[in-house]
Amino acid sequence: MITAIVTFALPQPITQEEAQKIFLSTAPRYQNLPGLLRKYYVLSDDGRTAGGVYLWQSREAAQAVYDDAWRAFVREKYGSAPQLTYLHTPVVVDNLTHEILSGA
């Protein structure tokens, strides 16, 4: 599994309520994406940085989504280019499902 951390600077700070409204408008884009296990939308305390933490089955699945069209969408929607970091995720502890996941 791969965790992708995406962050981008916002042109102006936003509140958690504003972020929730914006994020809910884009959330359907990520439902049923091949290889995406989970997505967490994130917002910094000062409201100046937002992004997402994604858990993917593989790096290939992630890279298939993070193409030029996706980058353009993020730039247009949020006003800056996304920064992307990939991390290997050998084990996940899921306390909601009471599972420990290893591998894809």
Side-chain angles (χ1 to χ4, degrees):
M1 293 178 288
I2 291 290
T3 295
I5 301 172
V6 175
T7 58
F8 43 86
L10 297 170
Q12 295 184 7
I14 61 174
T15 66
Q16 286 190 39
E17 292 77 20
E18 291 168 321
Q20 184 176 19
K21 182 179 177 183
I22 294 166
F23 296 161
L24 283 171
S25 77
T26 64
R29 290 177 59 100
Y30 297 95
Q31 288 185 303
N32 303 312
L33 271 182
L36 181 62
L37 302 174
R38 290 190 179 84
K39 177 180 181 180
Y40 301 89
Y41 286 87
V42 296
L43 178 68
S44 64
D45 284 344
D46 65 4
R48 295 180 180 277
T49 303
V53 178
Y54 303 73
L55 181 62
W56 294 95
Q57 288 177 336
S58 68
R59 187 175 181 129
E60 293 78 19
Q63 289 175 323
V65 172
Y66 303 139
D67 58 10
D68 290 341
W70 175 84
R71 290 175 187 277
F73 168 77
V74 171
R75 254 190 320 276
E76 182 179 318
K77 182 79 175 174
Y78 299 106
S80 68
Q83 301 300 310
L84 180 60
T85 302
Y86 290 106
L87 300 166
H88 294 282
T89 310
V91 175
V92 173
V93 175
D94 189 328
N95 286 329
L96 293 177
T97 63
H98 306 286
E99 294 178 299
I100 295 175
L101 307 173
S102 179

